[in-house]
Amino acid sequence: MTTLQLKIPPPVYFLLFAGGMWLLAQHVPLLNLIPKPWNYSGILIAILTLLADLTSLRAFFKARTTVNPLHPQRTLHLVTSGLYRYTRNPMYLGLLVILLGWALYLGALTPFLLLPAFVWVITRMQILPEEAILQAKFGKTYSDYQQRVPRWL
């Protein structure tokens, strides 16, 4: 594990990438892909995705386990219901889709270039360390879950 893994909350990464996307759209727009008013569809996508993220969060509260991404070792129960039947990381996927909505709203090509970087950073800094901890804690149950459900989609 690197020094920064599980040290920076995922919403901080989200905000950093959202800010970087805005800076790129303002200073290096390259190509205006989505003109007004069509760019407002990005806001709708972001709002709907936020609602989906809240249902994933609710699943953690319902299972009475930690929602703190900095301390996955405190997990008491493996959540595999709801959106967790389709992706092992619906909240991180939700952050990605909200960033996609933000890129649509910004309208330029350059913000889209940061989306793969966000996936890489979240996977390396958050998901892989979480998976190692969950594997150690839940063993075969978690391995079976990994085989059934993809990491992202």
Side-chain angles (χ1 to χ4, degrees):
M1 197 176 326
T2 67
T3 312
L4 291 178
Q5 287 180 323
L6 299 177
K7 300 286 188 232
I8 299 171
V12 172
Y13 288 120
F14 169 82
L15 291 173
L16 289 171
F17 274 87
M21 293 167 77
W22 180 83
L23 286 171
L24 285 174
Q26 295 300 308
H27 300 291
V28 193
L30 284 188
L31 177 64
N32 190 8
L33 292 176
I34 303 150
K36 289 184 180 178
W38 301 107
N39 69 324
Y40 291 110
S41 64
I43 299 299
L44 179 63
I45 289 169
I47 290 169
L48 293 174
T49 304
L50 181 61
L51 294 174
D53 262 4
L54 291 175
T55 64
S56 298
L57 190 62
R58 184 175 177 266
F60 272 69
F61 288 120
K62 189 176 178 182
R64 297 180 186 202
T65 192
T66 185
V67 295
N68 187 340
L70 302 182
H71 299 288
Q73 67 276 11
R74 295 181 186 163
T75 301
L76 300 175
H77 308 284
L78 195 58
V79 177
T80 60
S81 61
L83 293 175
Y84 290 91
R85 290 179 294 173
Y86 308 106
T87 173
R88 294 195 311 262
N89 298 288
M91 288 189 262
Y92 300 142
L93 179 60
L95 292 178
L96 175 64
V97 176
I98 291 169
L99 286 175
L100 173 65
W102 178 235
L104 289 169
Y105 174 74
L106 293 171
L109 172 66
T110 47
F112 289 92
L113 300 176
L114 289 183
L115 296 176
F118 178 78
V119 170
W120 184 82
V121 167
I122 287 295
T123 299
R124 178 149 169 77
M125 304 307 288
Q126 194 66 41
I127 294 173
L128 292 176
E130 282 181 7
E131 287 180 345
I133 290 167
L134 294 174
Q135 178 62 51
K137 188 161 192 152
F138 295 106
K140 183 168 173 22
T141 302
Y142 188 69
S143 295
D144 291 346
Y145 177 62
Q146 284 181 303
Q147 294 300 312
R148 284 191 324 273
V149 179
R151 179 180 287 148
W152 284 93
L153 255 189

